[in-house]
Amino acid sequence: MLLRTIALASTCLFLACQQPQKPEESAPVELDSEVSAALERLSEEFRREVYEVTDGVYQAVGFGIANSIMVEGDECVFIVDVMGSMESAAEVKAEFGKITQKPIGALIYTHNHADHVMGGLAFAPDGKVDVYAHDTTNYYINRMANVLRPVLRRRSARMFGSYLRTPGPDRMDNVGLGPFVETLDPDMTLGLIRPNKTFSDQLETEICGVKTELVHAPGETNDQLFVWLPERGVLLPGDNIYKAFPNLYSIRGTLYRDVLAWAYSIDKMRALRPTHLVPSHTRAISGEKQVYETLTAYRDAIQFVHDQTIRGINQGLTPDELVEVVKLPPHLAEHPFLQEVYGKVEWSVRGVFNGYLGWFDGDGAALEPANPDRRAEGMASLAGGEEGLARAARRAVDQEQYEWAAELATHLIRLDPSSAKAKQIKADALRALGRRQLNANARNYYLTQALELEGKVEIRDHTRPENALSFVATVPIGRFVAAMPANLIYEKSANKDMLVGFRFPDVDEGYGIHIRRGVAEFKESFPKNPDLTITADSAVWRELVLGLRNPVKAFASGDVRFDGSALDLVGFLRLFKPAVDRPWH
Ligand SMILES: [Zn+2]
């Protein structure tokens, strides 16, 4: 199964997708009662419903993490954001169908995230429909086929609580912006239709007889747009505003989000003085005054966090110090749209620091710190040995100093990775942190990691590749070759020098990989005089990459051919391996 191995190594298909294996049992833990009541109120906001915001504008809430919005014109309707899967989109479409039978004239994607784009084929089964998006949305959709998939999958599963029980002691109440993330369910099918009507700054058009303006509005993503319906005073802001403090940094791991650009994008929306604000997560609000006030508070909160972080940075504060001093002023902290149920000020401050200055906090002591083993040994020595350290960690739990307890327990696990006692202390600390959290991302992350430490949950990839074909089939074949270098096992290639060409005759494309002593250089075109050439149709290669085709049979049947020595072929394929999940502490 060498080819399968390389295949899995060289691809990363879409964001997290694993079977939530719910724990059989877990330590009884009650949510803090105040948190519990607030969570129930929040979950109530995500109850499944399609309702009319204003004449001819319908918002579907609660069918997945994101909303889908239908705008009705004279002859047809158009859909803004199409859910994250065929299944959730079909449910929404059925509800929309009860309102009107008018045909669907167009789709609009506010941005590239999977929960907004993967259900398109449910709305337009033949795929022949105008799809509006920003010029760069296709590029970012391709990036979902990402070399970081293993780690993003793991962190997303924790953050969205897809392994938590509902209901149950370690329960998943909601994901902060909606009831659950449907793209994490391996039974869900992707039905992507690529954007085919794109623009760079602004597009004024008429869709189904409705005057429609699309405006590029970088913020939560670089390709974000908002939709303005001037005749109806309706603004659809995508993900640049929702009823939660904005996710200026996402703990699943993201590139730096340009927070000032985000605030300025909201200023473009304020200038329009909308009467209705219909976001792609959480419910709409109406009333010119209320919408303006909400947009203003939102952009002010973003700018406040940015500016005060910069001010602190210039005073020489480190991220750990900055999070203690950058706090929203009361009028913003209390605003209903700025509650920290999804994004968090603290994470945002760290994100801004990192975006401007990178990882080094400026203190020489942090420049080349003691390695984790030395630090753990040092802590144990200060505590009078491992037993003393364990007692201190347990005492910290008892005294409700959970962050400190988790830190001490991390050192204990470092000293003895098999210690169930140390892992239990850390699990107890993380669970206690989780149950105090109204923030969905933090709560789900803490509770999931506690279960992992107890050995009750193991996050695995249960992707059903065939469910992703509609997406994978549209990713340029070269990206799969380009993804190979980051999976090179450099130790095995330390003394190798080998040039391999790839030919995909059906699309008339060729690529190369030059293995050069620990580095695999990707070549954008077919190389001259390769040592080995692999030839296959792009569809065949995709199926191999997905594991849908047996590689031995593919070579035996001639669907995949090679020129060169069989020994070289095997040797080459052995150099690549899927990223191994590193045991974590
Ligand atoms: Zn979203």
Side-chain angles (χ1 to χ4, degrees), residues 240-319:
N240 276 345
I241 178 165
Y242 35 66
K243 194 176 176 187
F245 186 82
N247 217 18
L248 302 181
Y249 169 79
S250 177
I251 60 169
R252 70 175 179 268
T254 52
L255 296 173
Y256 178 57
R257 295 175 168 177
D258 185 344
V259 300
L260 266 195
W262 193 334
Y264 298 154
S265 287
I266 295 175
D267 289 338
K268 288 190 200 167
M269 303 179 198
R270 291 163 77 218
L272 299 169
R273 295 273 174 174
T275 310
H276 305 278
L277 184 72
V278 193
S280 289
H281 296 277
T282 71
R283 286 164 188 263
I285 56 170
S286 293
E288 188 186 321
K289 211 172 144 209
Q290 198 197 343
V291 170
Y292 189 80
E293 183 275 325
T294 302
L295 288 171
T296 305
Y298 214 73
R299 58 87 61 223
D300 280 358
I302 294 171
Q303 193 187 328
F304 179 91
V305 168
H306 172 272
D307 291 353
Q308 295 310 308
T309 302
I310 297 294
R311 181 170 157 243
I313 286 173
N314 282 327
Q315 290 166 349
L317 300 183
T318 65

Coordinates of all heavy atoms in Angstrom, one line a residue, residues 240-319:
N240 N -18.5 39.2 8.9 CA -17.8 40.4 9.5 C -18.5 40.9 10.7 O -18.0 41.8 11.4 CB -17.6 41.5 8.5 CG -16.3 41.2 7.7 OD1 -15.5 40.4 8.0 ND2 -16.2 41.9 6.5
I241 N -19.7 40.5 10.9 CA -20.4 40.8 12.2 C -21.4 39.7 12.5 O -22.1 39.1 11.6 CB -21.1 42.2 12.1 CG1 -21.8 42.4 13.4 CG2 -22.0 42.3 10.9 CD1 -22.2 43.9 13.6
Y242 N -21.4 39.3 13.7 CA -22.4 38.3 14.2 C -22.6 38.6 15.7 O -21.8 39.4 16.3 CB -22.0 36.8 14.0 CG -20.5 36.6 14.1 CD1 -19.8 36.7 15.3 CD2 -19.8 36.2 13.0 CE1 -18.5 36.4 15.4 CE2 -18.4 35.9 13.1 CZ -17.8 36.0 14.3 OH -16.4 35.8 14.4
K243 N -23.6 37.9 16.3 CA -23.8 38.3 17.7 C -22.9 37.6 18.7 O -23.2 36.6 19.4 CB -25.3 38.0 18.1 CG -25.7 38.6 19.4 CD -27.2 38.4 19.6 CE -27.6 38.9 21.0 NZ -29.0 38.5 21.3
A244 N -21.6 38.0 18.7 CA -20.6 37.4 19.5 C -19.3 38.3 19.3 O -19.2 38.8 18.2 CB -20.3 36.0 19.2
F245 N -18.5 38.4 20.3 CA -17.2 39.1 20.1 C -16.5 38.4 18.9 O -16.4 37.2 18.8 CB -16.3 39.1 21.3 CG -15.1 39.9 21.2 CD1 -15.1 41.3 21.4 CD2 -13.9 39.3 20.8 CE1 -14.0 42.0 21.2 CE2 -12.8 40.1 20.6 CZ -12.8 41.4 20.8
P246 N -16.0 39.2 17.9 CA -15.4 38.6 16.7 C -14.2 37.7 17.0 O -13.4 38.0 17.9 CB -15.0 39.9 15.9 CG -14.9 41.0 16.9 CD -15.9 40.7 18.0
N247 N -14.1 36.7 16.1 CA -13.0 35.8 16.3 C -11.8 36.4 15.6 O -11.4 35.9 14.5 CB -13.4 34.5 15.6 CG -12.9 33.3 16.4 OD1 -12.5 33.4 17.5 ND2 -12.8 32.1 15.7
L248 N -11.2 37.4 16.2 CA -10.0 38.1 15.6 C -8.9 37.1 15.5 O -8.0 37.3 14.6 CB -9.6 39.3 16.4 CG -10.7 40.4 16.6 CD1 -10.2 41.6 17.4 CD2 -11.3 40.8 15.3
Y249 N -8.8 36.1 16.3 CA -7.9 35.0 16.2 C -8.7 33.7 16.5 O -9.5 33.7 17.4 CB -6.7 35.1 17.2 CG -5.9 33.8 17.2 CD1 -5.0 33.5 16.2 CD2 -6.1 32.9 18.2 CE1 -4.3 32.3 16.2 CE2 -5.4 31.7 18.2 CZ -4.5 31.4 17.2 OH -3.8 30.2 17.1
S250 N -8.5 32.7 15.6 CA -9.2 31.4 15.9 C -8.2 30.4 16.5 O -7.2 30.2 15.9 CB -9.8 30.9 14.6 OG -10.4 29.6 14.9
I251 N -8.6 29.8 17.6 CA -7.7 28.9 18.3 C -7.5 27.6 17.5 O -6.6 26.8 17.9 CB -8.2 28.6 19.8 CG1 -9.6 27.9 19.8 CG2 -8.1 29.8 20.6 CD1 -9.9 27.3 21.2
R252 N -8.3 27.3 16.5 CA -8.0 26.1 15.7 C -6.7 26.3 14.9 O -6.1 25.4 14.4 CB -9.1 25.7 14.8 CG -9.4 26.7 13.6 CD -10.5 26.2 12.7 NE -10.7 27.1 11.6 CZ -11.6 28.0 11.7 NH1 -12.4 28.2 12.7 NH2 -11.8 28.9 10.7
G253 N -6.3 27.6 14.8 CA -5.1 28.0 14.1 C -5.4 28.6 12.8 O -5.9 28.0 11.9
T254 N -5.1 29.9 12.7 CA -5.3 30.7 11.4 C -4.2 31.6 11.1 O -3.4 32.0 12.0 CB -6.6 31.5 11.5 OG1 -6.5 32.4 12.6 CG2 -7.8 30.7 11.5
L255 N -4.1 32.1 9.9 CA -3.2 33.1 9.5 C -3.7 34.4 10.3 O -4.8 34.5 10.7 CB -3.3 33.4 8.0 CG -2.9 32.3 7.1 CD1 -3.2 32.7 5.6 CD2 -1.4 32.1 7.2
Y256 N -2.8 35.4 10.3 CA -3.2 36.6 11.0 C -4.4 37.3 10.3 O -4.4 37.4 9.0 CB -2.0 37.6 11.0 CG -2.3 38.9 11.6 CD1 -2.8 39.0 13.0 CD2 -2.2 40.1 10.9 CE1 -3.2 40.2 13.5 CE2 -2.5 41.3 11.5 CZ -3.0 41.4 12.8 OH -3.3 42.6 13.4
R257 N -5.4 37.6 11.0 CA -6.5 38.3 10.4 C -6.3 39.8 10.6 O -6.1 40.3 11.7 CB -7.8 37.9 11.1 CG -8.1 36.4 10.8 CD -9.3 35.9 11.6 NE -9.6 34.5 11.0 CZ -10.6 33.8 11.5 NH1 -11.3 34.1 12.5 NH2 -10.8 32.6 10.9
D258 N -6.3 40.6 9.5 CA -6.0 42.0 9.5 C -7.2 42.7 10.2 O -8.2 43.1 9.6 CB -5.8 42.5 8.1 CG -5.4 44.0 8.1 OD1 -5.5 44.7 9.1 OD2 -4.9 44.4 7.0
V259 N -7.0 43.0 11.5 CA -8.2 43.4 12.3 C -8.6 44.9 12.0 O -9.7 45.2 12.0 CB -8.0 43.3 13.8 CG1 -7.7 41.8 14.1 CG2 -6.8 44.1 14.3
L260 N -7.6 45.7 11.6 CA -8.0 47.1 11.2 C -8.8 47.1 9.9 O -9.7 47.9 9.8 CB -6.7 48.0 11.1 CG -6.3 48.7 12.3 CD1 -5.2 49.8 11.9 CD2 -7.4 49.4 13.1
A261 N -8.3 46.3 9.0 CA -9.1 46.2 7.7 C -10.5 45.8 8.0 O -11.5 46.2 7.4 CB -8.4 45.2 6.8
W262 N -10.7 44.9 9.0 CA -12.0 44.4 9.4 C -12.9 45.6 9.9 O -14.0 45.8 9.5 CB -11.8 43.4 10.5 CG -13.0 42.5 10.9 CD1 -14.3 42.8 10.8 CD2 -13.0 41.2 11.4 NE1 -15.1 41.8 11.2 CE2 -14.3 40.8 11.6 CE3 -11.9 40.3 11.8 CZ2 -14.6 39.5 12.2 CZ3 -12.3 39.1 12.4 CH2 -13.6 38.7 12.5
A263 N -12.3 46.4 10.8 CA -13.0 47.6 11.3 C -13.4 48.5 10.1 O -14.5 49.0 10.1 CB -12.2 48.3 12.3
Y264 N -12.5 48.7 9.2 CA -12.8 49.6 8.1 C -13.8 49.1 7.2 O -14.6 49.8 6.6 CB -11.5 49.9 7.3 CG -10.4 50.6 8.1 CD1 -9.1 50.5 7.7 CD2 -10.7 51.4 9.2 CE1 -8.1 51.1 8.5 CE2 -9.7 52.1 9.9 CZ -8.4 51.9 9.6 OH -7.4 52.5 10.3
S265 N -13.9 47.8 7.0 CA -14.9 47.1 6.2 C -16.3 47.4 6.9 O -17.3 47.6 6.1 CB -14.7 45.6 6.1 OG -13.6 45.4 5.2
I266 N -16.3 47.4 8.2 CA -17.6 47.7 8.8 C -18.0 49.2 8.6 O -19.2 49.5 8.5 CB -17.6 47.3 10.3 CG1 -17.4 45.8 10.4 CG2 -18.8 47.7 11.1 CD1 -17.2 45.3 11.9
D267 N -17.0 50.0 8.5 CA -17.3 51.4 8.2 C -18.0 51.6 6.9 O -18.9 52.5 6.8 CB -16.0 52.3 8.3 CG -15.5 52.4 9.7 OD1 -16.3 52.3 10.6 OD2 -14.3 52.7 9.8
K268 N -17.6 50.8 5.9 CA -18.3 50.8 4.6 C -19.8 50.5 4.8 O -20.6 51.0 4.1 CB -17.7 49.9 3.6 CG -16.3 50.3 3.1 CD -15.9 49.3 2.0 CE -14.4 49.3 1.7 NZ -14.0 48.2 0.9
M269 N -20.0 49.6 5.7 CA -21.4 49.1 5.9 C -22.2 50.2 6.7 O -23.3 50.5 6.4 CB -21.5 47.9 6.8 CG -20.7 46.7 6.2 SD -20.9 45.3 7.4 CE -19.5 44.3 6.8
R270 N -21.5 50.9 7.6 CA -22.2 51.9 8.4 C -22.7 53.1 7.5 O -23.7 53.7 7.6 CB -21.3 52.5 9.4 CG -21.0 51.6 10.6 CD -19.7 52.0 11.3 NE -20.0 53.1 12.2 CZ -19.2 54.1 12.4 NH1 -18.1 54.2 11.8 NH2 -19.5 55.1 13.3
A271 N -21.8 53.4 6.5 CA -22.1 54.5 5.6 C -23.4 54.3 4.8 O -24.0 55.3 4.4 CB -20.9 54.7 4.6
L272 N -23.8 53.1 4.7 CA -25.0 52.8 3.9 C -26.3 53.0 4.7 O -27.4 53.0 4.2 CB -24.9 51.3 3.4 CG -23.8 51.0 2.4 CD1 -23.6 49.5 2.2 CD2 -23.9 51.8 1.1
R273 N -26.2 53.1 6.0 CA -27.3 53.3 6.9 C -28.4 52.2 6.7 O -29.5 52.5 6.4 CB -27.9 54.7 6.7 CG -27.0 55.8 7.1 CD -27.1 56.0 8.6 NE -26.1 57.0 9.1 CZ -26.1 57.5 10.3 NH1 -27.1 57.1 11.2 NH2 -25.2 58.3 10.7
P274 N -28.0 50.9 6.8 CA -29.0 49.9 6.5 C -30.2 49.9 7.6 O -30.0 50.3 8.7 CB -28.2 48.6 6.7 CG -26.8 49.0 6.9 CD -26.8 50.4 7.3
T275 N -31.3 49.4 7.1 CA -32.4 49.2 8.1 C -32.4 47.8 8.6 O -32.9 47.6 9.8 CB -33.8 49.4 7.3 OG1 -33.7 50.6 6.6 CG2 -35.0 49.5 8.2
H276 N -31.9 46.8 7.9 CA -31.9 45.4 8.3 C -30.5 44.9 8.2 O -29.8 45.1 7.1 CB -32.8 44.6 7.5 CG -34.2 45.1 7.5 ND1 -35.1 44.8 8.5 CD2 -34.9 45.8 6.5 CE1 -36.3 45.4 8.2 NE2 -36.2 46.0 7.0
L277 N -30.0 44.2 9.2 CA -28.7 43.6 9.2 C -28.9 42.1 9.3 O -29.5 41.6 10.3 CB -27.9 44.1 10.4 CG -26.4 43.6 10.5 CD1 -25.6 44.2 9.4 CD2 -25.8 43.8 11.9
V278 N -28.6 41.3 8.2 CA -28.9 39.9 8.2 C -27.6 39.1 8.1 O -27.1 38.8 7.0 CB -29.8 39.6 7.0 CG1 -30.4 38.2 7.1 CG2 -30.9 40.6 6.8
P279 N -27.0 38.7 9.2 CA -25.7 38.1 9.2 C -25.7 36.6 8.8 O -26.8 36.0 8.8 CB -25.2 38.3 10.6 CG -26.4 38.4 11.5 CD -27.5 39.0 10.6
S280 N -24.6 36.1 8.5 CA -24.5 34.7 8.1 C -24.3 33.7 9.3 O -24.2 32.5 9.1 CB -23.3 34.5 7.1 OG -23.7 35.1 5.9
H281 N -24.2 34.3 10.5 CA -24.4 33.5 11.7 C -25.2 34.4 12.7 O -25.0 35.6 12.7 CB -23.0 33.3 12.4 CG -22.1 32.4 11.6 ND1 -22.1 31.1 11.6 CD2 -21.0 32.8 10.9 CE1 -21.1 30.6 10.9 NE2 -20.4 31.6 10.4
T282 N -26.0 33.8 13.5 CA -26.9 34.5 14.4 C -28.0 35.3 13.7 O -27.9 35.5 12.5 CB -26.2 35.3 15.5 OG1 -25.6 36.5 14.9 CG2 -25.1 34.5 16.2
R283 N -29.0 35.7 14.5 CA -30.2 36.3 13.9 C -30.0 37.7 13.4 O -29.2 38.5 13.9 CB -31.3 36.2 14.9 CG -31.8 34.8 15.1 CD -32.6 34.5 16.3 NE -32.8 33.1 16.4 CZ -33.9 32.5 15.9 NH1 -34.9 33.1 15.5 NH2 -34.0 31.1 16.0
A284 N -31.0 38.1 12.6 CA -31.0 39.5 12.0 C -31.5 40.5 13.1 O -32.2 40.1 14.0 CB -31.9 39.5 10.8
I285 N -31.1 41.7 12.9 CA -31.7 42.8 13.6 C -32.2 43.9 12.7 O -31.7 44.0 11.5 CB -30.7 43.4 14.6 CG1 -29.4 43.9 13.9 CG2 -30.3 42.5 15.8 CD1 -28.5 44.8 14.8
S286 N -33.2 44.6 13.1 CA -33.8 45.6 12.2 C -33.9 47.0 13.0 O -34.0 47.0 14.2 CB -35.2 45.1 11.8 OG -35.1 44.0 11.0
G287 N -34.1 48.0 12.2 CA -34.2 49.4 12.7 C -32.9 50.1 12.4 O -31.8 49.7 12.9
E288 N -33.0 51.2 11.7 CA -31.8 51.9 11.2 C -30.9 52.3 12.4 O -29.7 52.1 12.4 CB -32.2 53.1 10.4 CG -31.0 53.8 9.7 CD -31.3 55.1 9.0 OE1 -32.4 55.2 8.4 OE2 -30.5 56.0 9.1
K289 N -31.5 52.8 13.4 CA -30.8 53.3 14.6 C -30.0 52.1 15.3 O -28.8 52.2 15.6 CB -31.7 54.0 15.6 CG -31.1 55.1 16.3 CD -32.1 55.8 17.2 CE -31.4 56.2 18.5 NZ -32.3 56.4 19.6
Q290 N -30.8 51.0 15.5 CA -30.2 49.9 16.2 C -29.0 49.3 15.4 O -28.0 48.9 15.9 CB -31.2 48.9 16.5 CG -30.8 47.9 17.6 CD -31.6 46.6 17.7 OE1 -32.7 46.6 17.1 NE2 -31.1 45.6 18.3
V291 N -29.3 49.2 14.1 CA -28.2 48.6 13.2 C -27.0 49.5 13.2 O -25.9 49.0 13.4 CB -28.8 48.4 11.7 CG1 -27.6 48.1 10.8 CG2 -29.9 47.4 11.7
Y292 N -27.2 50.8 13.1 CA -26.0 51.7 13.1 C -25.3 51.6 14.4 O -24.0 51.5 14.4 CB -26.5 53.1 12.8 CG -25.3 54.1 12.6 CD1 -24.7 54.1 11.3 CD2 -24.9 54.9 13.6 CE1 -23.7 55.0 11.1 CE2 -23.8 55.8 13.4 CZ -23.2 55.8 12.1 OH -22.2 56.7 11.9
E293 N -26.0 51.6 15.5 CA -25.4 51.6 16.8 C -24.6 50.3 17.0 O -23.5 50.2 17.5 CB -26.5 51.7 17.9 CG -26.0 51.8 19.3 CD -25.8 50.4 19.9 OE1 -26.6 49.5 19.6 OE2 -24.9 50.2 20.7
T294 N -25.2 49.2 16.5 CA -24.5 47.9 16.6 C -23.2 47.8 15.8 O -22.2 47.3 16.3 CB -25.5 46.7 16.2 OG1 -26.7 46.8 17.0 CG2 -24.9 45.4 16.4
L295 N -23.3 48.2 14.5 CA -22.2 48.2 13.7 C -21.0 49.1 14.3 O -19.9 48.7 14.2 CB -22.5 48.8 12.3 CG -23.4 47.9 11.4 CD1 -23.8 48.6 10.1 CD2 -22.6 46.6 11.0
T296 N -21.5 50.2 14.8 CA -20.5 51.1 15.4 C -19.8 50.5 16.6 O -18.5 50.5 16.8 CB -21.1 52.5 15.8 OG1 -21.8 53.0 14.7 CG2 -20.1 53.5 16.4
A297 N -20.6 49.9 17.5 CA -20.0 49.2 18.7 C -19.0 48.1 18.2 O -17.9 48.0 18.8 CB -21.1 48.7 19.6
Y298 N -19.4 47.4 17.2 CA -18.6 46.3 16.8 C -17.2 46.7 16.2 O -16.2 46.2 16.6 CB -19.4 45.5 15.7 CG -19.1 44.0 15.7 CD1 -19.7 43.2 16.7 CD2 -18.4 43.4 14.7 CE1 -19.5 41.8 16.7 CE2 -18.2 42.0 14.7 CZ -18.8 41.2 15.7 OH -18.6 39.9 15.7
R299 N -17.3 47.7 15.3 CA -16.0 48.2 14.8 C -15.2 48.9 15.9 O -14.0 48.8 15.8 CB -16.2 49.1 13.5 CG -17.1 50.3 13.7 CD -16.3 51.6 14.2 NE -15.3 51.9 13.2 CZ -14.1 52.3 13.5 NH1 -13.8 52.4 14.8 NH2 -13.2 52.7 12.6
D300 N -15.8 49.6 16.8 CA -15.1 50.2 17.9 C -14.4 49.2 18.8 O -13.2 49.4 19.2 CB -16.0 51.1 18.8 CG -16.3 52.4 18.1 OD1 -15.8 52.7 17.1 OD2 -17.1 53.2 18.7
A301 N -15.0 48.1 19.0 CA -14.4 47.0 19.8 C -13.2 46.5 19.1 O -12.1 46.2 19.8 CB -15.4 45.9 20.1
I302 N -13.3 46.3 17.8 CA -12.2 45.7 17.1 C -11.0 46.7 17.1 O -9.9 46.4 17.4 CB -12.6 45.4 15.6 CG1 -13.6 44.3 15.6 CG2 -11.3 45.1 14.8 CD1 -14.2 44.0 14.2
Q303 N -11.3 48.0 16.8 CA -10.2 49.0 16.8 C -9.6 49.2 18.2 O -8.4 49.4 18.3 CB -10.8 50.3 16.2 CG -9.6 51.3 15.9 CD -10.0 52.7 15.5 OE1 -11.0 52.9 14.9 NE2 -9.1 53.6 15.9
F304 N -10.5 49.2 19.2 CA -10.0 49.3 20.6 C -9.0 48.3 20.9 O -7.9 48.6 21.4 CB -11.2 49.2 21.6 CG -10.8 49.4 23.0 CD1 -10.7 50.6 23.6 CD2 -10.3 48.3 23.8 CE1 -10.3 50.8 24.9 CE2 -9.9 48.4 25.1 CZ -9.9 49.6 25.7
V305 N -9.3 47.0 20.6 CA -8.4 45.9 21.0 C -7.1 46.1 20.2 O -6.0 46.0 20.7 CB -9.0 44.5 20.7 CG1 -8.0 43.4 20.7 CG2 -10.1 44.3 21.7
H306 N -7.2 46.5 18.9 CA -6.0 46.7 18.1 C -5.2 47.8 18.7 O -4.0 47.7 19.0 CB -6.4 47.0 16.7 CG -5.2 47.5 15.8 ND1 -4.8 48.8 15.7 CD2 -4.4 46.7 15.0 CE1 -3.8 48.8 14.9 NE2 -3.5 47.6 14.5
D307 N -5.8 49.0 18.9 CA -5.0 50.2 19.3 C -4.4 50.0 20.6 O -3.2 50.4 20.9 CB -5.9 51.4 19.2 CG -6.3 51.8 17.8 OD1 -5.8 51.2 16.9 OD2 -7.2 52.7 17.7
Q308 N -5.1 49.5 21.6 CA -4.6 49.4 22.9 C -3.5 48.3 23.0 O -2.6 48.4 23.9 CB -5.7 49.1 23.9 CG -6.7 50.3 24.0 CD -6.0 51.7 24.2 OE1 -5.2 51.8 25.1 NE2 -6.3 52.6 23.4
T309 N -3.6 47.3 22.2 CA -2.5 46.3 22.1 C -1.3 47.0 21.6 O -0.2 46.8 22.2 CB -3.0 45.1 21.3 OG1 -4.1 44.5 21.8 CG2 -1.9 44.1 21.2
I310 N -1.4 47.7 20.5 CA -0.2 48.4 20.0 C 0.4 49.4 21.0 O 1.6 49.4 21.2 CB -0.6 49.2 18.7 CG1 -1.1 48.3 17.6 CG2 0.6 50.1 18.2 CD1 -0.1 47.3 17.0
R311 N -0.5 50.1 21.7 CA 0.0 51.0 22.7 C 0.8 50.3 23.8 O 1.9 50.7 24.2 CB -1.2 51.7 23.3 CG -0.8 52.7 24.4 CD -2.1 53.6 24.8 NE -1.9 54.1 26.1 CZ -2.6 53.8 27.2 NH1 -3.7 53.0 27.0 NH2 -2.4 54.4 28.3
G312 N 0.3 49.1 24.2 CA 1.0 48.3 25.2 C 2.3 47.7 24.7 O 3.3 47.7 25.4
I313 N 2.2 47.3 23.4 CA 3.5 46.8 22.8 C 4.6 47.8 22.8 O 5.7 47.5 23.2 CB 3.2 46.4 21.3 CG1 2.3 45.1 21.3 CG2 4.5 46.2 20.5 CD1 1.9 44.7 19.9
N314 N 4.2 49.1 22.5 CA 5.2 50.1 22.5 C 5.7 50.5 23.9 O 6.8 51.1 24.0 CB 4.6 51.4 21.8 CG 4.7 51.2 20.2 OD1 5.6 50.5 19.7 ND2 3.7 51.7 19.6
Q315 N 4.9 50.1 24.9 CA 5.4 50.3 26.3 C 6.3 49.2 26.7 O 6.8 49.2 27.8 CB 4.2 50.5 27.2 CG 3.4 51.8 27.0 CD 2.1 51.7 27.7 OE1 1.6 50.7 28.2 NE2 1.4 52.9 27.8
G316 N 6.4 48.2 25.8 CA 7.3 47.1 26.2 C 6.6 45.9 26.8 O 7.3 45.0 27.3
L317 N 5.3 45.9 26.8 CA 4.6 44.8 27.5 C 4.7 43.5 26.6 O 4.6 43.6 25.4 CB 3.1 45.1 27.7 CG 2.9 46.3 28.6 CD1 1.4 46.5 28.8 CD2 3.6 46.2 30.0
T318 N 4.7 42.4 27.3 CA 4.7 41.1 26.6 C 3.3 40.6 26.4 O 2.4 41.2 27.1 CB 5.5 40.0 27.4 OG1 4.8 39.8 28.6 CG2 6.9 40.4 27.7
P319 N 3.0 39.6 25.6 CA 1.6 39.1 25.4 C 1.0 38.8 26.8 O -0.2 39.1 27.0 CB 1.7 37.9 24.5 CG 3.0 38.2 23.7 CD 3.9 39.0 24.6

